[in-house]
Amino acid sequence: LHFNDIRAEEWTPSYAGKSSRMDFLLKQEQIVIEIKKTRKGLGAKELGSQLIEDIARYDIHPDCDTLICFVYDPDGRISNPRGIENDLKQDKEELKVQVWIRP
């Protein structure tokens, strides 16, 4: 709606021998949006690990200055969503990270 160039599922550079696809890249704004949905097998522990890997991967991505992680948690599997958000957010010059966990 507010962006003209939205690139879906762009590949990331290899990190620790593994590449992945980012959900959305706003190349001109240098923003990556990563979206996840909790489910059986993707609770707080697994989600935290995945987001830590994502942050490390996007920290070296040349088109990412800001990483926005949105987690849809309709069943309330994450018991302390604000804790995870606060633990993972960062405001470094090289990478800003925002995490939003919502039902």
Side-chain angles (χ1 to χ4, degrees):
L1 180 67
H2 299 286
F3 303 97
N4 293 322
D5 184 5
I6 302 170
R7 300 174 188 208
E9 298 194 346
E10 290 277 323
W11 285 97
T12 64
S14 177
Y15 177 79
K18 182 172 132 183
S19 292
S20 67
R21 287 183 295 192
M22 60 185 88
D23 292 320
F24 299 100
L25 169 63
L26 306 174
K27 189 171 176 78
Q28 190 171 8
E29 293 80 7
Q30 295 196 315
I31 297 172
V32 170
I33 301 169
E34 186 68 30
I35 299 172
K36 298 190 180 293
K37 181 181 182 286
T38 60
R39 61 186 184 284
K40 184 177 180 178
L42 185 62
K45 181 179 173 183
E46 298 82 10
L47 176 68
S49 294
Q50 284 187 16
L51 291 175
I52 288 168
E53 285 181 23
D54 289 340
I55 291 166
R57 184 172 293 114
Y58 296 126
D59 191 32
I60 61 169
H61 195 283
D63 292 324
C64 183
D65 287 340
T66 301
L67 172 61
I68 299 171
C69 303
F70 178 76
V71 180
Y72 179 49
D73 184 25
D75 299 322
R77 293 181 184 273
I78 308 301
S79 62
N80 183 9
R82 301 303 87 78
I84 292 175
E85 291 172 354
N86 290 329
D87 286 349
L88 296 177
K89 75 178 178 182
Q90 61 187 42
D91 194 15
K92 297 179 185 175
E93 185 175 319
E94 56 277 353
L95 181 66
K96 293 166 185 55
V97 177
Q98 296 178 13
V99 178
W100 301 78
I101 302 172
R102 298 295 184 269

